[in-house]
Structure formats: structure tokens, C-alpha cells
Amino acid sequence: MKAIILAAGLGTRLRPITSTTPKCLVPINGVPLLELWLRDCERAGVEAVLVNTHHLAERVEEFVAARRGIPVTLAYEPTLLGSAGTIAANWSFVDDTESFLVVYADNLTTFPLSELIAFHATHDRIASMALFRSPNPSACGVVELDSSGLVTGFWEKPANPPGNLVNAGLYVFRRQVRPYLPTDIPADIGRSLMPALTGRAMGLPIGSYFVDIGTLENYYQAQADYAAAAG
């Protein structure tokens, strides 16, 4: 198992913090977000990680160079490729694996990646995705499941969401996903890939603590909430 951690976002909603610190390195109780994800990858038995970079890429390079543990490959994007575009551009990294993880680095959760990997092993669909209940589903990718857990509907940031079960930005894809990857770049997983995988993906609702720390409000609140949830 390998993992792609998507970490190239500009973090505009987290300014002024992200004026000097890339979003993937903002600290949660003193620990950079990317470090939390790398630790979870190590616990899950992931053997190698690719991290895409863009904004303040040199800071991420310094962080990775100083770290010991799981091998990390950096993929600098002079122009942002989008989440699905990053997978397509770095296909050679995962081409020798049967399945691989994709993680949005700007999410914070106590949900272990090992549980998503274990869930993925229980079925033969192309993808597995973690899901959570959102108080604001119109800002998320809304998912509909049938009684077996099959994804039967996907709507990216709908004005009138049919429910509040949404995409957590944590995936395991089988290598059979390659023909579904968009060729027009930039391309996003939510807008360009997951709609094509409706009927070909399984969803796993999680009850663990989960938050997108993309806003200052969420970021500051997460400092206390995550410590309580993790403790």
C-alpha cells in the first residue's frame, strides 16, 4: 500500500497563518498536520508516500528532509493540477500497487487509515471512501448509499443537498481507477472523478472526530476539540 497526500493548496482562508506556513504544516497542538498524517500512514503499514507541493514548497521540503521514517517523495506542481490531476500526473508512483490511499492533508481526524484499508479489503469495487455527517452539506460532496454501502449518488457542493452524508476526502482506489481519471487538467476528485465512480465505489460512514481545518474558525476550534477527541 502506498499513499498520495494532497498538500498543495494555497490555504487562502487560513491567512495570515498561511502567508508564511503552508497549510499542510500548520500545527495542531504543536504538531504539523502533515506529521499527523505521516504517523497514521506508518501505523497503517503504508510503505511509501507521495506529497504534492505548490505554495511555500521549500518549507515542505525542509520538513521532509529533517524527518525520519516512512519514505516521502515530493511532487512539486508549478501550476496546480487539481486533486484528480495529481493522481494522473503521478500514476507511475502507484502503478505497481493493487490499491493506494489518497488523503486530503487539510483535514483533521481521529479516524485511523487502517480502518479504511481494512474496509476496502472486504469488497471488490474500484474505490472506498470515508464519509461523515456534515452540518453544512452544501459546502461538501454529498453522497448517497444503498443498503449495502454502494455509492449510488454523488453531488459536489449541491445547492439543495439530498442529505448530510458527505465525502471526507479519504479514499482507497484500486489501480482499475486509471481509465476514469480525467485528462483535462486541472481536475478535481469531487467534480471529475467521483461522479464517474457512482455505482463503482463503496462508502464507509465514520463516527470519529473529523473537521476540515480550512478556515481560521475551524482551525482554532480544532486545537481544543482534537486534543479532547484524541485523548
Side-chain angles (χ1 to χ4, degrees):
M1 182 71 66
K2 293 182 178 179
I4 295 175
I5 299 180
L6 301 168
L10 298 174
T12 54
R13 295 177 298 162
L14 278 177
R15 290 174 181 165
I17 297 172
T18 48
S19 297
T20 55
T21 302
K23 185 162 62 170
C24 67
L25 293 184
V26 297
I28 303 297
N29 299 325
V31 182
L33 261 176
L34 182 56
E35 174 65 23
L36 293 175
W37 282 118
L38 291 174
R39 290 178 186 177
D40 198 20
C41 283
E42 289 170 341
R43 286 191 294 267
V46 174
E47 64 182 34
V49 174
L50 181 140
V51 178
N52 70 328
T53 63
H54 177 72
H55 176 58
L56 299 174
E58 66 281 0
R59 294 288 307 278
V60 184
E61 292 170 8
E62 293 167 359
F63 168 80
V64 169
R67 190 182 190 277
R68 297 294 176 265
I70 191 170
V72 177
T73 299
L74 296 178
Y76 175 66
E77 298 179 7
T79 301
L80 289 172
L81 303 175
S83 50
T86 295
I87 299 173
N90 295 283
W91 186 258
S92 60
F93 178 75
V94 296
D95 195 33
D96 61 344
T97 64
E98 192 279 328
S99 296
F100 58 95
L101 279 158
V102 175
V103 174
Y104 283 83
D106 54 357
N107 292 329
L108 177 66
T109 184
T110 57
F111 174 71
L113 292 174
S114 58
E115 290 191 18
L116 184 60
I117 293 171
F119 172 73
H120 186 69
T122 66
H123 65 84
D124 60 0
R125 302 288 180 169
I126 290 177
S128 300
M129 61 189 308
L131 310 171
F132 72 103
R133 299 285 178 182
S134 171
N136 184 25
S138 61
C140 308
V142 178
V143 178
E144 182 178 73
L145 302 179
D146 70 8
S147 59
S148 72
L150 183 70
V151 175
T152 54
F154 188 93
W155 303 267
E156 182 67 14
K157 298 180 180 178
N160 299 296
N164 67 352
L165 189 64
V166 304
N167 182 9
L170 302 172
Y171 314 91
V172 182
F173 293 109
R174 288 193 164 85
R175 64 191 320 279
Q176 287 82 0
V177 75
R178 189 175 189 181
Y180 298 92
L181 291 172
T183 56
D184 293 334
I185 304 299
D188 181 67
I189 291 174
R191 296 192 182 278
S192 302
L193 179 57
M194 290 312 303
L197 294 182
T198 297
R200 300 178 177 90
M202 300 292 287
L204 175 63
I206 64 176
S208 307
Y209 174 78
F210 182 94
V211 65
D212 170 6
I213 63 113
T215 67
L216 285 171
E217 179 182 6
N218 282 2
Y219 172 66
Y220 290 125
Q221 184 65 44
Q223 303 293 331
D225 293 347
Y226 180 74

